[in-house]
Amino acid sequence: ASVAAEAAVTATPGDIRTLVPAADVRLNAEDWSGALSLLNQAAELDADNVSVQSRRGDAARFAEDIDIARTAYAAVLTHEEAHPGALVGMLAILIEAGEVEDAVAMLARVDAADLPETHELAMLRVRTLVDSGAGYDALRAVERVKRRRDTRGDASLRVAIAELLLQAELYQRSVGMFDQSRVLGYDRVEAFLGRAQAWAMEGRTNKANEAMRSALDAAIPEGAEEGAPSPAANHPRLLVVRGRIEANLGRYPSARSYAQRALEASPRMAEAHMLLADVAGRMRDDPEEHLRAAAALPRPSPRAWWLLARRAGANEEGCAFARRYLSAAPRSENASDVRDFIERCD
């Protein structure tokens, strides 16, 4: 079939009837760039062809040519608003690009179209919920995904639940889920760092330090010389945990330095901005800029929504922030105060 398809393209160049079958052969072989080359030619011949553009979007996405993938999927959705492949493909692009609000809107379109919940879609749903800061409100949805046959034993889902519990400010439960992920084979460094963050947020300095040491040790490769520095020493999450511990101990300039180092390594890290906002508040500086970053970036800190609500008062913006926080963290220590605040909004 492969030879025949290639021969047909050679015999009749510029014919969409031969370009598409030849592209299909390359798609099946996961030759994404080769398929994309043929599908680009087909799209030039018929830009409104939904079948061509859908294939082109898939080829471009897997070839990591995201601009072409966006263009192709958008062309499909112009003609078929509920096209399954284009909706799921666009959702994947948006969440990978960190365009969380657009990803949430695309997921709503997916749900409105009532698409079958494939494994890919289920995992994209989980990623969207975590990256949007859904917290407690998303736990049931992720638990449903965890019970699927094709996700049983998937350590990444335990991590997703752990991150949602962090957002919900249920820190001890989060620790348990990070531990479960490690038992199931998840990256030990990442699991220990998640554990360390949960304990630091809980104010348990000794346990946070212990988890950090475990992360540092786990990152050292086998056979390394004794006393060799750990590759995890400058991990952004570890730096934020160190900064959080420093802030808990009242050492605010040091905490700020750790947060700034984390942002140098990972400029879109919401938790580093949240730490800077907390430090700014303690040092009587204006935390607004960092609060807004912590509230808007991927994997936001829901606590930033509550602090912004308090600053704004019971106006439209403040009430929206408060409701969003309560949805993510209805069992937090702040929940009662947030409910009282929301009563003033009605």
Side-chain angles (χ1 to χ4, degrees), residues 9 13-16 18-24 26-27 31-73 75:
V9 171
D15 188 337
I16 197 168
T18 58
L19 287 168
V20 173
D24 283 342
R26 298 194 181 190
L27 287 171
D31 175 9
W32 311 121
S33 295
L36 180 58
S37 176
L38 294 170
L39 291 164
N40 282 339
Q41 296 176 55
E44 288 180 5
L45 296 169
D46 186 358
D48 294 327
N49 188 309
V50 168
S51 179
V52 167
Q53 293 289 19
S54 176
R55 288 171 166 84
R56 183 173 175 242
D58 291 342
R61 174 157 70 100
F62 292 118
E64 299 184 359
D65 195 330
I66 302 306
D67 288 341
I68 289 180
R70 282 180 188 263
T71 300
Y73 288 141

